[in-house]
Amino acid sequence: QARRTNNLYQVTLAISMIVFFGVTAGIIWAAFRYRRTGPELPEQVHGNNALEFVWTLVPVLILIGLFIPSFILVLDLKTPPAQAELASGDVLVVEAIGHQWWWEFDYPAEGIKVQPTPPNYDSFAPPTMVIPVGKTILVKVRSTDVVHSFYAPNLLYKIQAIPGNVNEFHFKVEKPGSFSGQCYQFCGLRHSDMRFVIEAVEPAAYQRWV
């Protein structure tokens, strides 16, 4: 999902740079082409229907062209795995629960809870969400008190933890690694302590951890 998001970013950036340099070049050209060089006024252009049609149509086409892949990507990110996948065990469900001020990770199928109680802030170690590489991870995000925000930058996807509501997103890690994350919604005095780690390991290592 992060790769698809990044690819969309790159296309959007490329189009933006083309538009930026095109508009800038047009301004520079007009400034020199129509500058005053004598006592008489330069040629005055009050309208051009063809040009106005083009510079209205082209942005509309660009926006439509960007909207379609953006909509498809967001729809995919917002659509949880099918019930058949969940029932087959091909999807690992993890509940990410935001508290003031720490994250708890609950693995309902495995009966595992990571950091269910407040940590010792004097020797604070961020809780770790351990996941297997190559498996779809469905994260159910909620809060027990105020609004928090669950975000690991490598995922390129941020989701709010809202009291009384469960938000879901899914992802798959392709290679082992350790990825840092934190709460991105200011939530009180120890907001800066709401850090966590996503540890992606090989399936065999995950089974040993379980």
Side-chain angles (χ1 to χ4, degrees), residues 17 39 49 61 63 76 83 88 108-109 131 140 151 155 166 181 200-201:
M17 296 304 292
N49 290 336
L61 294 177
L63 290 175
D76 177 64
Q83 287 298 323
S88 67
I131 59 171
K140 297 185 176 183
Y151 182 51
L155 300 179
V166 177
V201 299

Side-chain angles (χ1 to χ4, degrees), residues 142-153:
R142 60 185 175 90
S143 170
T144 61
D145 34 56
V146 300
V147 177
H148 302 284
S149 183
F150 183 91
Y151 182 51

Side-chain angles (χ1 to χ4, degrees), residues 98-151:
H99 304 271
Q100 286 183 307
W101 291 272
W102 79 94
W103 288 103
E104 172 188 350
F105 299 124
D106 187 0
Y107 298 71
E110 289 80 3
I112 296 172
K113 291 182 181 291
V114 176
Q115 197 65 67
T117 57
N120 179 3
Y121 293 107
D122 293 331
S123 57
F124 178 71
T128 300
M129 177 195 291
V130 181
I131 59 171
V133 168
K135 191 168 187 174
T136 298
I137 313 299
L138 175 62
V139 184
K140 297 185 176 183
V141 183
R142 60 185 175 90
S143 170
T144 61
D145 34 56
V146 300
V147 177
H148 302 284
S149 183
F150 183 91
Y151 182 51

Side-chain angles (χ1 to χ4, degrees), residues 15-16 18-20 22-23 49-67:
I15 294 174
S16 300
I18 291 171
V19 172
F20 170 77
V23 171
N49 290 336
L51 276 178
E52 290 175 9
F53 177 78
V54 169
W55 68 48
T56 302
L57 179 63
V58 169
V60 169
L61 294 177
I62 291 174
L63 290 175
I64 292 174
L66 290 175
F67 169 78

